[in-house]
Amino acid sequence: MTQRSIVWPLALGSAILCLCTGQIAWPQTINGAGATFPAPIYKKWFETYHQLNPEVTINYQAVGSGAGIALYKQGTVFFGATDAAMTDADLSSTQPTIHVPTVAGAVVLSYNVHGVGGGLKLAGDVIADIYEKKITIWNDPRIRRDNSGVNLPATPIFVVHRADSSGTSFIFTSYLSAVSPSWKSGPGTGKSVNWPTGVGGNGNPGVASFIGHQPGAIGYIELAYALQNRLGYASVKNRSGAFVEPSIASVTAAADAAAGRMKSDVRISIVDLTGKSTYPISGFTYLLVPKNARDKAQLRALVAFIKWAMGPGQAEAAGLNYAPLPKSVVAINERAIGTVK
């Protein structure tokens, strides 16, 4: 499995003088692993935080949500990261853990179709039938129906999905189950499903690479990866009947629509919500944080980082095409972090 690492080495044998307080701070190295969906913003956050706090080094392996949960439960890493929240069964089989939503993002349908630039329009039932191998060619009448004036070629559709256990897949298949009874009763929702067609790529980078190099390809990736790789992506028809382009504003609309439900449990889905400006394949991504870890120094350092991420860090989200958290969700996170011992 391809892994992406974010590592800043630091000599562990020496203390560091904190210029802001004048106190001696002992170096802390915190290891985490999980989702590729938020890896660009996490890379930025960890770099910036290390510059502000040289005594804290955060190493992150972007291995996918499923692997991140597994490594966290095994105790191989101090914190996990996932786009698919842990289930009650997962939580009962590991140390006491809180979920901290960090940002929201869009899962986009990227494509590589000769002569078709950006702005393709896709309805949910069409997307589901492409992934169920019921629509197999780009100039299918149901695709042409919503794309008047677009010169769609008679090119076979090359479907790409995730090969690894993936929170991005969980968000995407949650959406397909919401818009397609056939998908819901068939492959269903999960970090890994029995895909009816297509080839698998490891992580968002692997899927993006397949799309970029394979004519006729379509695949689902986080918006930042589509932009980084200069891939076209579709506007998707939402529950209100509007074709909405994935953007910070349209993901924020989805996050705002769901914020009220997060008071009781932050582990919620924000796919296929109502609202004309809401992008329908949106999701939160979470850090998995131990409530009472043995290494109190690492836990204090991780909590301090999260408090920073909920404040100044949120200002960096939009620059990488993630939606900052609504203030109401930041407040929920702050209360949750207050329970960490």
Side-chain angles (χ1 to χ4, degrees), residues 108-171:
V108 307
L109 275 301
S110 277
Y111 52 87
N112 179 359
V113 185
H114 181 71
V116 178
L120 191 71
K121 296 178 180 178
L122 293 174
D125 60 328
V126 170
I127 296 168
D129 283 355
I130 288 172
Y131 272 81
E132 284 200 80
K133 208 177 180 179
K134 296 175 182 177
I135 296 176
T136 60
I137 197 164
W138 276 107
N139 67 349
D140 184 280
R142 291 173 62 197
I143 301 177
R144 287 193 285 113
R145 175 193 64 197
D146 295 320
N147 291 279
S148 177
V150 178
N151 185 23
L152 291 161
T155 301
I157 298 175
F158 185 91
V159 172
V160 188
H161 55 74
R162 287 285 286 272
D164 53 324
S165 180
S166 157
T168 308
S169 290
F170 183 84
I171 295 170

Short mmCIF file of all heavy atoms in Angstrom, two decimals, residues 108-171:
data_model
loop_
_atom_site.label_atom_id
_atom_site.label_comp_id
_atom_site.label_asym_id
_atom_site.label_seq_id
_atom_site.Cartn_x
_atom_site.Cartn_y
_atom_site.Cartn_z
N VAL A 108 -15.74 14.64 -4.98
CA VAL A 108 -16.15 15.07 -6.32
C VAL A 108 -16.02 13.93 -7.31
O VAL A 108 -15.21 13.02 -7.13
CB VAL A 108 -15.32 16.29 -6.80
CG1 VAL A 108 -15.38 17.40 -5.76
CG2 VAL A 108 -13.88 15.91 -7.07
N LEU A 109 -16.83 14.01 -8.36
CA LEU A 109 -16.72 13.07 -9.48
C LEU A 109 -15.81 13.70 -10.50
O LEU A 109 -16.20 14.61 -11.24
CB LEU A 109 -18.10 12.78 -10.08
CG LEU A 109 -18.93 11.67 -9.44
CD1 LEU A 109 -18.20 10.33 -9.47
CD2 LEU A 109 -19.33 12.01 -8.02
N SER A 110 -14.55 13.23 -10.54
CA SER A 110 -13.58 13.72 -11.52
C SER A 110 -13.59 12.82 -12.74
O SER A 110 -13.87 11.62 -12.64
CB SER A 110 -12.18 13.77 -10.92
OG SER A 110 -12.00 14.95 -10.18
N TYR A 111 -13.23 13.39 -13.88
CA TYR A 111 -13.31 12.61 -15.12
C TYR A 111 -12.22 13.06 -16.08
O TYR A 111 -11.62 14.13 -15.96
CB TYR A 111 -14.69 12.78 -15.76
CG TYR A 111 -15.12 14.22 -15.94
CD1 TYR A 111 -14.76 14.95 -17.08
CD2 TYR A 111 -15.88 14.85 -14.96
CE1 TYR A 111 -15.15 16.26 -17.23
CE2 TYR A 111 -16.27 16.18 -15.11
CZ TYR A 111 -15.91 16.88 -16.25
OH TYR A 111 -16.29 18.19 -16.40
N ASN A 112 -11.98 12.20 -17.06
CA ASN A 112 -10.99 12.46 -18.11
C ASN A 112 -11.63 12.07 -19.44
O ASN A 112 -11.53 10.92 -19.88
CB ASN A 112 -9.73 11.63 -17.84
CG ASN A 112 -8.65 11.81 -18.90
OD1 ASN A 112 -8.83 12.56 -19.87
ND2 ASN A 112 -7.54 11.14 -18.74
N VAL A 113 -12.37 13.00 -20.02
CA VAL A 113 -13.13 12.75 -21.25
C VAL A 113 -12.68 13.73 -22.32
O VAL A 113 -12.80 14.95 -22.14
CB VAL A 113 -14.65 12.88 -21.01
CG1 VAL A 113 -15.42 12.48 -22.27
CG2 VAL A 113 -15.09 12.02 -19.83
N HIS A 114 -12.16 13.22 -23.41
CA HIS A 114 -11.62 14.06 -24.48
C HIS A 114 -12.68 15.04 -24.99
O HIS A 114 -13.81 14.65 -25.31
CB HIS A 114 -11.12 13.20 -25.63
CG HIS A 114 -10.54 13.99 -26.75
ND1 HIS A 114 -9.33 14.66 -26.65
CD2 HIS A 114 -11.01 14.24 -28.02
CE1 HIS A 114 -9.07 15.29 -27.79
NE2 HIS A 114 -10.08 15.04 -28.64
N GLY A 115 -12.33 16.30 -25.03
CA GLY A 115 -13.21 17.33 -25.56
C GLY A 115 -14.21 17.87 -24.56
O GLY A 115 -14.97 18.79 -24.87
N VAL A 116 -14.22 17.32 -23.34
CA VAL A 116 -15.15 17.78 -22.32
C VAL A 116 -14.34 18.45 -21.21
O VAL A 116 -13.56 17.81 -20.52
CB VAL A 116 -15.98 16.62 -21.74
CG1 VAL A 116 -16.92 17.14 -20.64
CG2 VAL A 116 -16.76 15.93 -22.84
N GLY A 117 -14.53 19.73 -21.06
CA GLY A 117 -13.80 20.44 -20.00
C GLY A 117 -14.52 20.33 -18.68
O GLY A 117 -15.16 19.33 -18.38
N GLY A 118 -14.44 21.38 -17.88
CA GLY A 118 -15.15 21.38 -16.61
C GLY A 118 -16.62 21.64 -16.81
O GLY A 118 -17.08 22.00 -17.90
N GLY A 119 -17.40 21.39 -15.77
CA GLY A 119 -18.81 21.75 -15.80
C GLY A 119 -19.76 20.67 -16.21
O GLY A 119 -20.96 20.93 -16.43
N LEU A 120 -19.31 19.43 -16.38
CA LEU A 120 -20.22 18.33 -16.66
C LEU A 120 -21.24 18.24 -15.54
O LEU A 120 -20.93 18.48 -14.37
CB LEU A 120 -19.44 17.01 -16.76
CG LEU A 120 -20.18 15.80 -17.31
CD1 LEU A 120 -20.44 15.95 -18.79
CD2 LEU A 120 -19.39 14.52 -17.03
N LYS A 121 -22.48 17.89 -15.88
CA LYS A 121 -23.54 17.76 -14.89
C LYS A 121 -23.94 16.30 -14.76
O LYS A 121 -24.16 15.61 -15.77
CB LYS A 121 -24.77 18.60 -15.29
CG LYS A 121 -24.51 20.09 -15.33
CD LYS A 121 -25.76 20.85 -15.79
CE LYS A 121 -25.51 22.36 -15.83
NZ LYS A 121 -26.71 23.10 -16.33
N LEU A 122 -24.03 15.82 -13.51
CA LEU A 122 -24.41 14.43 -13.27
C LEU A 122 -25.47 14.37 -12.17
O LEU A 122 -25.32 14.98 -11.12
CB LEU A 122 -23.19 13.61 -12.85
CG LEU A 122 -22.10 13.40 -13.90
CD1 LEU A 122 -20.89 12.70 -13.29
CD2 LEU A 122 -22.63 12.61 -15.09
N ALA A 123 -26.52 13.62 -12.43
CA ALA A 123 -27.55 13.38 -11.42
C ALA A 123 -27.18 12.14 -10.61
O ALA A 123 -26.43 11.27 -11.07
CB ALA A 123 -28.91 13.20 -12.08
N GLY A 124 -27.73 12.04 -9.41
CA GLY A 124 -27.38 10.94 -8.53
C GLY A 124 -27.68 9.57 -9.09
O GLY A 124 -26.87 8.64 -8.97
N ASP A 125 -28.85 9.42 -9.73
CA ASP A 125 -29.20 8.11 -10.28
C ASP A 125 -28.27 7.72 -11.42
O ASP A 125 -27.96 6.53 -11.61
CB ASP A 125 -30.67 8.09 -10.74
CG ASP A 125 -30.96 9.11 -11.82
OD1 ASP A 125 -30.33 10.19 -11.84
OD2 ASP A 125 -31.83 8.82 -12.68
N VAL A 126 -27.78 8.71 -12.15
CA VAL A 126 -26.83 8.44 -13.24
C VAL A 126 -25.49 7.99 -12.66
O VAL A 126 -24.88 7.02 -13.14
CB VAL A 126 -26.66 9.70 -14.13
CG1 VAL A 126 -25.50 9.52 -15.10
CG2 VAL A 126 -27.96 9.99 -14.87
N ILE A 127 -25.03 8.67 -11.63
CA ILE A 127 -23.76 8.30 -11.00
C ILE A 127 -23.85 6.86 -10.48
O ILE A 127 -22.94 6.04 -10.69
CB ILE A 127 -23.42 9.26 -9.85
CG1 ILE A 127 -23.20 10.68 -10.39
CG2 ILE A 127 -22.17 8.79 -9.11
CD1 ILE A 127 -23.14 11.74 -9.30
N ALA A 128 -24.94 6.54 -9.79
CA ALA A 128 -25.11 5.19 -9.25
C ALA A 128 -25.11 4.16 -10.37
O ALA A 128 -24.49 3.08 -10.24
CB ALA A 128 -26.40 5.12 -8.45
N ASP A 129 -25.79 4.45 -11.47
CA ASP A 129 -25.86 3.47 -12.56
C ASP A 129 -24.55 3.34 -13.31
O ASP A 129 -24.26 2.28 -13.88
CB ASP A 129 -27.01 3.83 -13.52
CG ASP A 129 -28.37 3.45 -12.96
OD1 ASP A 129 -28.40 2.82 -11.87
OD2 ASP A 129 -29.40 3.78 -13.58
N ILE A 130 -23.72 4.39 -13.32
CA ILE A 130 -22.38 4.25 -13.86
C ILE A 130 -21.58 3.26 -13.01
O ILE A 130 -20.90 2.36 -13.53
CB ILE A 130 -21.66 5.62 -13.91
CG1 ILE A 130 -22.26 6.49 -15.02
CG2 ILE A 130 -20.15 5.45 -14.13
CD1 ILE A 130 -21.75 7.93 -15.03
N TYR A 131 -21.70 3.39 -11.69
CA TYR A 131 -20.95 2.51 -10.80
C TYR A 131 -21.58 1.12 -10.68
O TYR A 131 -20.92 0.20 -10.19
CB TYR A 131 -20.78 3.17 -9.43
CG TYR A 131 -19.55 4.03 -9.39
CD1 TYR A 131 -19.56 5.33 -9.92
CD2 TYR A 131 -18.35 3.56 -8.89
CE1 TYR A 131 -18.41 6.11 -9.92
CE2 TYR A 131 -17.20 4.32 -8.89
CZ TYR A 131 -17.23 5.59 -9.40
OH TYR A 131 -16.08 6.36 -9.43
N GLU A 132 -22.81 0.96 -11.15
CA GLU A 132 -23.42 -0.38 -11.21
C GLU A 132 -23.32 -0.99 -12.60
O GLU A 132 -23.91 -2.04 -12.87
CB GLU A 132 -24.88 -0.31 -10.78
CG GLU A 132 -25.07 -0.18 -9.29
CD GLU A 132 -26.45 -0.58 -8.83
OE1 GLU A 132 -26.70 -1.80 -8.68
OE2 GLU A 132 -27.30 0.32 -8.63
N LYS A 133 -22.57 -0.33 -13.48
CA LYS A 133 -22.32 -0.82 -14.84
C LYS A 133 -23.60 -0.89 -15.69
O LYS A 133 -23.70 -1.69 -16.60
CB LYS A 133 -21.64 -2.20 -14.81
CG LYS A 133 -20.77 -2.48 -16.03
CD LYS A 133 -20.05 -3.81 -15.92
CE LYS A 133 -19.19 -4.06 -17.15
NZ LYS A 133 -18.46 -5.35 -17.06
N LYS A 134 -24.54 -0.01 -15.39
CA LYS A 134 -25.76 0.09 -16.19
C LYS A 134 -25.64 1.17 -17.25
O LYS A 134 -26.36 1.14 -18.26
CB LYS A 134 -26.96 0.38 -15.28
CG LYS A 134 -27.26 -0.73 -14.28
CD LYS A 134 -28.37 -0.33 -13.33
CE LYS A 134 -28.65 -1.42 -12.30
NZ LYS A 134 -29.68 -1.02 -11.32
N ILE A 135 -24.75 2.14 -17.02
CA ILE A 135 -24.40 3.15 -18.01
C ILE A 135 -22.92 2.97 -18.28
O ILE A 135 -22.09 3.09 -17.36
CB ILE A 135 -24.69 4.57 -17.50
CG1 ILE A 135 -26.19 4.76 -17.27
CG2 ILE A 135 -24.16 5.62 -18.47
CD1 ILE A 135 -26.57 6.12 -16.68
N THR A 136 -22.57 2.68 -19.53
CA THR A 136 -21.20 2.27 -19.83
C THR A 136 -20.50 3.11 -20.89
O THR A 136 -19.34 2.86 -21.21
CB THR A 136 -21.18 0.80 -20.29
OG1 THR A 136 -21.98 0.67 -21.48
CG2 THR A 136 -21.72 -0.13 -19.20
N ILE A 137 -21.19 4.12 -21.45
CA ILE A 137 -20.59 4.92 -22.51
C ILE A 137 -20.92 6.40 -22.25
O ILE A 137 -21.99 6.73 -21.71
CB ILE A 137 -21.10 4.46 -23.89
CG1 ILE A 137 -20.20 4.99 -25.00
CG2 ILE A 137 -22.55 4.81 -24.11
CD1 ILE A 137 -20.40 4.26 -26.33
N TRP A 138 -19.98 7.27 -22.61
CA TRP A 138 -20.12 8.67 -22.22
C TRP A 138 -21.26 9.39 -22.93
O TRP A 138 -21.79 10.38 -22.40
CB TRP A 138 -18.80 9.41 -22.42
CG TRP A 138 -17.89 9.23 -21.25
CD1 TRP A 138 -16.74 8.48 -21.19
CD2 TRP A 138 -18.05 9.79 -19.95
NE1 TRP A 138 -16.19 8.52 -19.94
CE2 TRP A 138 -16.97 9.34 -19.15
CE3 TRP A 138 -19.00 10.64 -19.37
CZ2 TRP A 138 -16.84 9.69 -17.81
CZ3 TRP A 138 -18.86 11.00 -18.04
CH2 TRP A 138 -17.79 10.54 -17.28
N ASN A 139 -21.65 8.97 -24.12
CA ASN A 139 -22.75 9.67 -24.79
C ASN A 139 -24.09 8.98 -24.56
O ASN A 139 -25.02 9.10 -25.36
CB ASN A 139 -22.47 9.86 -26.27
CG ASN A 139 -22.44 8.54 -27.03
OD1 ASN A 139 -22.42 7.46 -26.43
ND2 ASN A 139 -22.43 8.61 -28.36
N ASP A 140 -24.20 8.26 -23.46
CA ASP A 140 -25.47 7.64 -23.07
C ASP A 140 -26.56 8.73 -23.00
O ASP A 140 -26.30 9.85 -22.54
CB ASP A 140 -25.32 6.96 -21.71
CG ASP A 140 -26.57 6.23 -21.29
OD1 ASP A 140 -27.51 6.90 -20.79
OD2 ASP A 140 -26.62 4.99 -21.45
N PRO A 141 -27.77 8.43 -23.45
CA PRO A 141 -28.83 9.45 -23.46
C PRO A 141 -29.09 10.08 -22.10
O PRO A 141 -29.44 11.27 -22.02
CB PRO A 141 -30.06 8.67 -23.94
CG PRO A 141 -29.50 7.54 -24.76
CD PRO A 141 -28.21 7.18 -24.10
N ARG A 142 -28.91 9.33 -21.02
CA ARG A 142 -29.19 9.89 -19.70
C ARG A 142 -28.11 10.90 -19.28
O ARG A 142 -28.39 11.83 -18.51
CB ARG A 142 -29.32 8.77 -18.67
CG ARG A 142 -30.58 7.93 -18.89
CD ARG A 142 -30.58 6.73 -17.98
NE ARG A 142 -30.60 7.10 -16.57
CZ ARG A 142 -30.28 6.26 -15.59
NH1 ARG A 142 -29.88 5.02 -15.88
NH2 ARG A 142 -30.34 6.67 -14.34
N ILE A 143 -26.90 10.75 -19.75
CA ILE A 143 -25.88 11.77 -19.49
C ILE A 143 -26.11 12.97 -20.39
O ILE A 143 -26.01 14.13 -19.95
CB ILE A 143 -24.46 11.19 -19.70
CG1 ILE A 143 -24.22 9.99 -18.77
CG2 ILE A 143 -23.41 12.26 -19.45
CD1 ILE A 143 -22.87 9.32 -18.96
N ARG A 144 -26.45 12.71 -21.66
CA ARG A 144 -26.71 13.81 -22.59
C ARG A 144 -27.90 14.65 -22.17
O ARG A 144 -27.95 15.86 -22.42
CB ARG A 144 -26.92 13.25 -24.01
CG ARG A 144 -25.64 12.75 -24.66
CD ARG A 144 -25.80 12.48 -26.16
NE ARG A 144 -26.53 11.24 -26.41
CZ ARG A 144 -27.74 11.16 -26.96
NH1 ARG A 144 -28.38 12.28 -27.29
NH2 ARG A 144 -28.32 10.00 -27.15
N ARG A 145 -28.87 14.00 -21.51
CA ARG A 145 -30.09 14.70 -21.07
C ARG A 145 -29.77 15.95 -20.23
O ARG A 145 -30.42 16.99 -20.38
CB ARG A 145 -30.92 13.72 -20.24
CG ARG A 145 -32.17 14.30 -19.59
CD ARG A 145 -32.72 13.33 -18.55
NE ARG A 145 -31.79 13.12 -17.43
CZ ARG A 145 -31.86 12.11 -16.58
NH1 ARG A 145 -32.81 11.19 -16.71
NH2 ARG A 145 -30.99 12.02 -15.59
N ASP A 146 -28.77 15.86 -19.38
CA ASP A 146 -28.44 16.96 -18.48
C ASP A 146 -27.27 17.81 -18.98
O ASP A 146 -26.83 18.72 -18.27
CB ASP A 146 -28.10 16.42 -17.09
CG ASP A 146 -29.28 15.75 -16.43
OD1 ASP A 146 -30.40 16.27 -16.55
OD2 ASP A 146 -29.08 14.69 -15.78
N ASN A 147 -26.77 17.51 -20.19
CA ASN A 147 -25.58 18.21 -20.69
C ASN A 147 -25.79 18.67 -22.12
O ASN A 147 -24.99 18.37 -23.02
CB ASN A 147 -24.36 17.29 -20.57
CG ASN A 147 -23.96 17.03 -19.14
OD1 ASN A 147 -23.29 17.85 -18.51
ND2 ASN A 147 -24.41 15.91 -18.59
N SER A 148 -26.86 19.42 -22.33
CA SER A 148 -27.15 19.96 -23.65
C SER A 148 -26.01 20.84 -24.14
O SER A 148 -25.49 21.68 -23.39
CB SER A 148 -28.46 20.76 -23.59
OG SER A 148 -28.74 21.35 -24.84
N GLY A 149 -25.60 20.61 -25.36
CA GLY A 149 -24.53 21.42 -25.95
C GLY A 149 -23.14 20.88 -25.70
O GLY A 149 -22.16 21.40 -26.25
N VAL A 150 -22.99 19.86 -24.85
CA VAL A 150 -21.68 19.26 -24.59
C VAL A 150 -21.45 18.12 -25.57
O VAL A 150 -22.31 17.25 -25.76
CB VAL A 150 -21.60 18.72 -23.15
CG1 VAL A 150 -20.25 18.06 -22.90
CG2 VAL A 150 -21.84 19.85 -22.16
N ASN A 151 -20.31 18.12 -26.21
CA ASN A 151 -19.99 17.11 -27.21
C ASN A 151 -19.44 15.86 -26.52
O ASN A 151 -18.24 15.65 -26.40
CB ASN A 151 -18.96 17.66 -28.21
CG ASN A 151 -18.68 16.68 -29.34
OD1 ASN A 151 -19.50 15.81 -29.64
ND2 ASN A 151 -17.53 16.82 -29.97
N LEU A 152 -20.36 15.02 -26.07
CA LEU A 152 -19.98 13.80 -25.36
C LEU A 152 -19.62 12.71 -26.36
O LEU A 152 -20.41 12.39 -27.25
CB LEU A 152 -21.12 13.33 -24.46
CG LEU A 152 -21.41 14.23 -23.26
CD1 LEU A 152 -22.80 13.97 -22.69
CD2 LEU A 152 -20.35 14.01 -22.19
N PRO A 153 -18.44 12.12 -26.26
CA PRO A 153 -17.99 11.12 -27.24
C PRO A 153 -18.54 9.72 -26.93
O PRO A 153 -18.95 9.43 -25.81
CB PRO A 153 -16.47 11.14 -27.08
CG PRO A 153 -16.26 11.46 -25.63
CD PRO A 153 -17.38 12.41 -25.27
N ALA A 154 -18.48 8.87 -27.93
CA ALA A 154 -18.88 7.47 -27.77
C ALA A 154 -17.71 6.67 -27.20
O ALA A 154 -17.27 5.67 -27.76
CB ALA A 154 -19.34 6.90 -29.10
N THR A 155 -17.23 7.14 -26.05
CA THR A 155 -16.08 6.54 -25.40
C THR A 155 -16.54 5.69 -24.22
O THR A 155 -17.39 6.13 -23.45
CB THR A 155 -15.13 7.65 -24.88
OG1 THR A 155 -14.71 8.46 -25.97
CG2 THR A 155 -13.91 7.05 -24.18
N PRO A 156 -16.01 4.49 -24.07
CA PRO A 156 -16.38 3.68 -22.90
C PRO A 156 -16.02 4.38 -21.61
O PRO A 156 -15.00 5.07 -21.51
CB PRO A 156 -15.56 2.39 -23.08
CG PRO A 156 -15.26 2.33 -24.56
CD PRO A 156 -15.11 3.76 -24.99
N ILE A 157 -16.86 4.21 -20.60
CA ILE A 157 -16.60 4.78 -19.28
C ILE A 157 -15.69 3.83 -18.51
O ILE A 157 -16.00 2.65 -18.35
CB ILE A 157 -17.91 5.03 -18.51
CG1 ILE A 157 -18.78 6.04 -19.25
CG2 ILE A 157 -17.61 5.53 -17.09
CD1 ILE A 157 -20.16 6.26 -18.63
N PHE A 158 -14.59 4.36 -18.03
CA PHE A 158 -13.62 3.59 -17.26
C PHE A 158 -13.79 3.99 -15.80
O PHE A 158 -13.43 5.10 -15.40
CB PHE A 158 -12.20 3.89 -17.75
CG PHE A 158 -11.12 3.07 -17.12
CD1 PHE A 158 -10.71 1.87 -17.68
CD2 PHE A 158 -10.51 3.50 -15.94
CE1 PHE A 158 -9.70 1.12 -17.10
CE2 PHE A 158 -9.50 2.75 -15.35
CZ PHE A 158 -9.10 1.55 -15.94
N VAL A 159 -14.37 3.11 -14.99
CA VAL A 159 -14.74 3.43 -13.62
C VAL A 159 -13.55 3.18 -12.68
O VAL A 159 -12.89 2.14 -12.75
CB VAL A 159 -15.95 2.59 -13.18
CG1 VAL A 159 -16.22 2.78 -11.68
CG2 VAL A 159 -17.18 2.97 -13.99
N VAL A 160 -13.31 4.14 -11.79
CA VAL A 160 -12.24 4.01 -10.80
C VAL A 160 -12.85 4.18 -9.40
O VAL A 160 -13.70 5.05 -9.18
CB VAL A 160 -11.14 5.08 -11.01
CG1 VAL A 160 -9.95 4.79 -10.08
CG2 VAL A 160 -10.69 5.12 -12.46
N HIS A 161 -12.42 3.34 -8.48
CA HIS A 161 -12.86 3.43 -7.10
C HIS A 161 -11.66 3.20 -6.18
O HIS A 161 -10.55 2.96 -6.65
CB HIS A 161 -13.97 2.42 -6.80
CG HIS A 161 -13.61 1.00 -7.15
ND1 HIS A 161 -12.73 0.23 -6.40
CD2 HIS A 161 -13.98 0.21 -8.20
CE1 HIS A 161 -12.60 -0.96 -6.95
NE2 HIS A 161 -13.33 -1.00 -8.05
N ARG A 162 -11.86 3.25 -4.90
CA ARG A 162 -10.78 3.01 -3.96
C ARG A 162 -10.54 1.51 -3.80
O ARG A 162 -11.48 0.73 -3.72
CB ARG A 162 -11.10 3.64 -2.60
CG ARG A 162 -11.01 5.15 -2.61
CD ARG A 162 -9.57 5.64 -2.61
NE ARG A 162 -8.94 5.46 -1.33
CZ ARG A 162 -8.99 6.34 -0.34
NH1 ARG A 162 -9.62 7.49 -0.50
NH2 ARG A 162 -8.37 6.09 0.80
N ALA A 163 -9.26 1.15 -3.68
CA ALA A 163 -8.89 -0.24 -3.44
C ALA A 163 -8.78 -0.52 -1.94
O ALA A 163 -8.96 -1.66 -1.50
CB ALA A 163 -7.57 -0.58 -4.13
N ASP A 164 -8.48 0.52 -1.15
CA ASP A 164 -8.27 0.36 0.28
C ASP A 164 -9.55 0.67 1.04
O ASP A 164 -10.52 1.17 0.48
CB ASP A 164 -7.12 1.26 0.74
CG ASP A 164 -7.32 2.72 0.32
OD1 ASP A 164 -7.85 2.94 -0.79
OD2 ASP A 164 -6.95 3.63 1.08
N SER A 165 -9.55 0.36 2.33
CA SER A 165 -10.67 0.69 3.20
C SER A 165 -10.66 2.19 3.44
O SER A 165 -9.72 2.72 4.03
CB SER A 165 -10.54 -0.08 4.52
OG SER A 165 -11.62 0.21 5.37
N SER A 166 -11.70 2.87 3.02
CA SER A 166 -11.62 4.31 2.82
C SER A 166 -12.82 5.05 3.36
O SER A 166 -13.97 4.69 3.07
CB SER A 166 -11.48 4.58 1.31
OG SER A 166 -11.90 5.88 0.97
N GLY A 167 -12.57 6.12 4.10
CA GLY A 167 -13.64 7.00 4.52
C GLY A 167 -14.24 7.77 3.36
O GLY A 167 -15.43 8.10 3.36
N THR A 168 -13.42 8.09 2.36
CA THR A 168 -13.95 8.73 1.15
C THR A 168 -14.96 7.82 0.48
O THR A 168 -16.02 8.28 0.01
CB THR A 168 -12.81 9.09 0.18
OG1 THR A 168 -11.80 9.82 0.88
CG2 THR A 168 -13.32 9.93 -0.98
N SER A 169 -14.66 6.53 0.43
CA SER A 169 -15.62 5.55 -0.10
C SER A 169 -16.88 5.53 0.75
O SER A 169 -18.00 5.40 0.23
CB SER A 169 -15.01 4.15 -0.14
OG SER A 169 -14.02 4.05 -1.13
N PHE A 170 -16.72 5.63 2.07
CA PHE A 170 -17.89 5.62 2.95
C PHE A 170 -18.80 6.80 2.63
O PHE A 170 -20.02 6.64 2.55
CB PHE A 170 -17.44 5.67 4.41
CG PHE A 170 -18.58 5.60 5.39
CD1 PHE A 170 -19.10 4.39 5.78
CD2 PHE A 170 -19.13 6.77 5.91
CE1 PHE A 170 -20.17 4.32 6.68
CE2 PHE A 170 -20.19 6.71 6.80
CZ PHE A 170 -20.70 5.48 7.19
N ILE A 171 -18.24 7.99 2.48
CA ILE A 171 -19.05 9.15 2.14
C ILE A 171 -19.73 8.95 0.78
O ILE A 171 -20.94 9.20 0.62
CB ILE A 171 -18.18 10.43 2.12
CG1 ILE A 171 -17.65 10.74 3.52
CG2 ILE A 171 -18.97 11.63 1.57
CD1 ILE A 171 -16.60 11.84 3.55
#
